[in-house]
Amino acid sequence: MTDEAVGLLDRLGLTEYEATALRELLTLGRTTAPNLAQATGIPKARIYGVLDSLSDRGFIKIIPGRPKEYQPKSPEQILDRAEENRRQEFEGFVQALENVRAEFLAEFQPRFERASEDITPTEELFHVVDVGQPSERETRQLYHEATAQVRIITKSFEYFDSVRPAFENAIERGIDVDALFLHPDLLEAENRPVQADIVEQLRTEYPAVDLRFSSEQLPWRGTVVDPSMDYEAGRAIILVEEKDVPLHMRQAALTDNGSFVAGLQRYFELVWEHESVADYPG
């Protein structure tokens, strides 16, 4: 089985033994626990628990008999059941939070307010997260919480796949999305095909998204959400260009300061209108 196929099974949230057993069942079809243990190398003392777990998740069927046999559901049924399982888990989690919300707020809101009394507005302007999964997680959250606009400034949008579901959710909700790329002539050679691929995907799959390409270097990159020119709303995440600092050592700044977000939006508008082009070369 290819590494890609193994990776797909990993996304179902299975343990290593569960993924191995399911992978082999999808290859062998209906079989017994001892046969599966022999084929996979899973210890016989563990195989029945592994199979019971897969059955509980709805991924396989148990066929009564002496001995019992185990049969995988179809790949489509497995995916549908995995989605339903995760939905039920999420709904249970949300309900559990609601059950403790009043008690949690009564206990911790006063503590938070007392601890925050000496924090100045300037100190609240930013907080930072590491670039990578933490910054991508915050970016997805911005997309989900947007109510009107999303403005993206990026070199090549190389992180697009990691934020795509949230990006799509924003578009499906009618959010106005614009993306300002760095012009490919200003990119390093290895980044040009990455940008070209993302641009092609956006233009093909998301025609409602407007794209332009900055003819000048971009000093920062990030996402601005719901800016208001009355300086009272909006959120943003930004990453300042630091060529000499490896990406994994950089941090991104988050802000919900309305005045600062309005300034970021103003910068976006000026570049969009006066220092960018709409046509992608080539």
Side-chain angles (χ1 to χ4, degrees), residues 26-235:
L26 287 166
T27 303
L28 295 176
R30 182 167 164 172
T31 191
T32 65
N35 286 344
L36 188 62
Q38 184 175 9
T40 59
I42 298 173
K44 291 183 179 179
R46 299 288 303 277
I47 192 66
Y48 289 99
V50 168
L51 289 166
D52 285 344
S53 178
L54 290 173
S55 174
D56 291 343
R57 292 170 183 257
F59 296 159
I60 67 172
K61 295 185 289 186
I62 300 177
I63 312 301
R66 293 180 179 275
K68 292 179 184 177
E69 291 186 310
Y70 301 84
Q71 181 177 348
K73 300 284 185 68
S74 72
E76 185 171 359
Q77 289 175 312
I78 290 171
L79 289 177
D80 288 344
R81 189 55 186 264
E83 181 180 352
E84 176 62 18
N85 291 345
R86 188 57 60 90
R87 183 186 66 80
Q88 291 181 13
E89 290 173 5
F90 177 74
E91 290 179 351
F93 175 73
V94 170
Q95 186 58 54
L97 287 184
E98 286 303 311
N99 291 341
V100 301
R101 176 177 293 275
E103 183 179 358
F104 185 93
L105 293 177
E107 176 67 27
F108 293 108
Q109 185 66 25
R111 299 188 189 194
F112 172 78
E113 291 174 356
R114 287 194 298 271
S116 303
E117 286 177 354
D118 295 332
I119 298 176
T120 68
T122 300
E123 291 171 326
E124 289 187 327
L125 184 59
F126 295 113
H127 70 275
V128 299
V129 295
D130 290 338
V131 170
Q133 290 186 3
S135 62
E136 290 167 1
R137 181 167 56 246
E138 295 292 343
T139 301
R140 289 192 292 269
Q141 187 69 18
L142 289 177
Y143 290 149
H144 282 304
E145 294 180 351
T147 61
Q149 295 180 332
V150 172
R151 299 292 180 254
I152 302 163
I153 295 183
T154 183
K155 291 174 71 173
S156 56
F157 212 173
E158 68 282 356
Y159 59 93
F160 177 62
D161 283 345
S162 69
V163 301
R164 183 194 290 259
F167 179 91
E168 291 180 345
N169 174 264
I171 294 172
E172 289 168 359
R173 291 185 291 111
I175 304 303
D176 179 27
V177 180
D178 290 343
L180 178 64
F181 286 81
L182 184 63
H183 195 282
D185 289 349
L186 302 175
L187 284 174
E188 295 179 358
E190 61 268 24
N191 287 334
R192 291 173 190 162
V194 175
Q195 186 194 78
D197 179 60
I198 297 300
V199 168
E200 177 64 22
Q201 290 184 57
L202 293 177
R203 286 188 166 167
T204 302
E205 302 176 35
Y206 312 101
V209 177
D210 288 332
L211 311 178
R212 291 186 71 87
F213 302 88
S214 173
S215 55
E216 301 291 338
Q217 290 287 353
L218 298 171
W220 60 272
R221 310 189 298 277
T223 302
V224 179
V225 171
D226 297 335
S228 69
M229 300 319 291
D230 59 8
Y231 301 171
E232 293 183 356
R235 297 181 64 204

